Amino acid sequence: PPIIEVRDLAKTYASGTVALTGVTLDIREGEILALLGPNGAGKTTFISILCGLVTPTGGHAAVGGHDIARDYRAARTLIGLVPQEIAVEPFETVMNTVRFSRGLHGRARDDAHLEQVLRSLTLWDKRDARLNELSGGMKRRVLIAKALSHGPRVLFLDEPTAGVDVTLRREMWAVVRDLRASGVTVILTTHYLEEAEEMADRIGIIDRGRLLLLEDKARLMHEF
Ligand code: ADP
Ligand code: ADP
C-alpha cells in the first residue's frame, strides 16, 4: 500500500484564499517526490496539512494508513519535517540538538539510533561541535538529522535549498539523494525544475492549489 494517501484534499484559509483544491495522489514508500510550483501555489499548505499543522477544509489524507484527522498522533510519529524557517540553538552541540529533538517527540533516548542518523549525514565526526561552528551545509544537515531523530518513515523538506548559494544547493541535492539509502520516503518542495530533476523519482506540478501533473521523472523529461 502507499505510505501516503491523499484524496480530494482542499484548504480555503479564513481569509478566503483557496490554497488547495481537489488534490488526490498516492505516495509510494521509499520514493523521492518533488512538488514543483511557483510561490503561492499551495506547496507549504499541502505539507502543513500532512504534518497536522493546518486543518484541511475538505478531503482526507492518511499516513501509514492513519487518517491525519482521526488518528493524528499515530500519523505524526511516522513523519519528520524540515520546515522552511527553523530556529536552532547556536551554542548547543550537534548531538544534544538531535537528542533534544527526539525527546520532544516523546521518544526514549536512543543514542545508537542517533549515531546511525548522524553517520548517514556525515555528521558523526561533528557530534560535539556547536552549531555556530558549522558550515552552512553542515547546519542544514543538522536540521535534517533533527527531523530524523525519532525514526520517521516519511521526511518532508519544505524548500530545502531556499536562500542558499549554488555550491550548497548542489551539496543539498546529494544529501537528499543519499537519504534513499536510509529507506525514508522523501517529499520536498521547490520552484526550480532543475532541482526537482536532480533529486526526485517523481515530480508533481502544483499551480494555484491544483495538482496539474504527477509523473515519473524519466517520462516527464522525455515529454518536455
Ligand atoms: P507555496 O508554499 O507554494 O508558496 P503556500 O501554501 O504557502 O504556497 O500558499 C498558498 C496560498 O495560500 C497563497 O496564496 C498564500 O498567500 C496563502 N496562504 C498561506 N498561508 C496562509 C494563511 N495562514 N492564511 C491565509 N492565506 C495563506
Ligand atoms: P508533536 O507531535 O510534534 O509534538 P503536537 O502534537 O504538539 O506535535 O502538535 C503539533 C501541531 O499540530 C500543533 O500546532 C497542534 O495544534 C496541531 N495538532 C495537534 N493535534 C492535532 C489534530 N488532531 N489535528 C490537527 N492538528 C493537530
Side-chain angles (χ1 to χ4, degrees), residues 136-186:
M138 287 294 169
K139 264 188 206 131
R140 293 217 165 219
R141 287 164 198 256
V142 173
L143 302 180
I144 295 174
K146 279 179 68 180
L148 293 174
S149 65
H150 59 295
R153 287 164 65 191
V154 181
L155 181 67
F156 289 95
L157 299 163
D158 199 3
E159 304 256 1
T161 63
V164 308
D165 65 27
V166 176
T167 315
L168 184 46
R169 178 169 297 158
R170 292 194 171 279
E171 183 184 332
M172 293 314 297
W173 290 350
V175 168
V176 170
R177 283 193 308 255
D178 286 350
L179 287 172
R180 178 185 304 292
S182 61
V184 70
T185 304
V186 177

Side-chain angles (χ1 to χ4, degrees), residues 18-207:
V18 179
L20 278 186
T21 176
V23 172
T24 294
L25 77 157
D26 286 339
I27 298 173
R28 308 165 189 152
E29 180 127 45
E31 76 171 320
I32 302 180
L33 173 68
L35 295 173
L36 174 68
N39 280 327
K43 304 183 297 297
T44 299
T45 300
F46 178 81
I47 285 184
S48 300
I49 290 172
L50 283 168
C51 294
L53 303 172
V54 165
T55 310
T57 48
H60 297 277
V63 181
H66 302 287
D67 187 285
I68 53 162
R70 285 200 313 267
D71 208 359
Y72 169 74
R73 297 236 157 241
R76 188 67 183 82
T77 60
L78 302 178
I79 290 172
L81 169 65
V82 184
Q84 259 181 62
E85 280 158 39
I86 327 159
V88 291
E89 287 293 332
F91 302 114
E92 198 50 88
T93 66
V94 169
M95 189 59 173
N96 280 343
T97 299
V98 292
R99 237 184 230 143
F100 184 68
S101 179
R102 185 176 168 89
L104 279 184
H105 282 93
R107 302 294 305 273
R109 186 161 159 169
D110 181 351
D111 285 356
H113 170 68
L114 297 183
E115 175 174 346
Q116 187 189 322
V117 168
L118 293 181
R119 284 192 187 281
S120 74
L121 291 159
T122 63
L123 277 171
W124 182 242
D125 293 343
K126 301 276 186 200
R127 62 191 177 280
D128 295 323
R130 297 181 196 288
L131 298 191
N132 66 342
E133 299 164 354
L134 298 180
S135 69
M138 287 294 169
K139 264 188 206 131
R140 293 217 165 219
R141 287 164 198 256
V142 173
L143 302 180
I144 295 174
K146 279 179 68 180
L148 293 174
S149 65
H150 59 295
R153 287 164 65 191
V154 181
L155 181 67
F156 289 95
L157 299 163
D158 199 3
E159 304 256 1
T161 63
V164 308
D165 65 27
V166 176
T167 315
L168 184 46
R169 178 169 297 158
R170 292 194 171 279
E171 183 184 332
M172 293 314 297
W173 290 350
V175 168
V176 170
R177 283 193 308 255
D178 286 350
L179 287 172
R180 178 185 304 292
S182 61
V184 70
T185 304
V186 177
I187 295 114
L188 62 97
T189 67
T190 179
H191 44 265
Y192 299 111
L193 175 61
E194 185 195 11
E195 187 160 292
E197 194 186 341
E198 285 290 337
M199 290 192 275
D201 303 314
R202 271 205 304 170
I203 297 176
I205 297 179
I206 297 194
D207 190 29

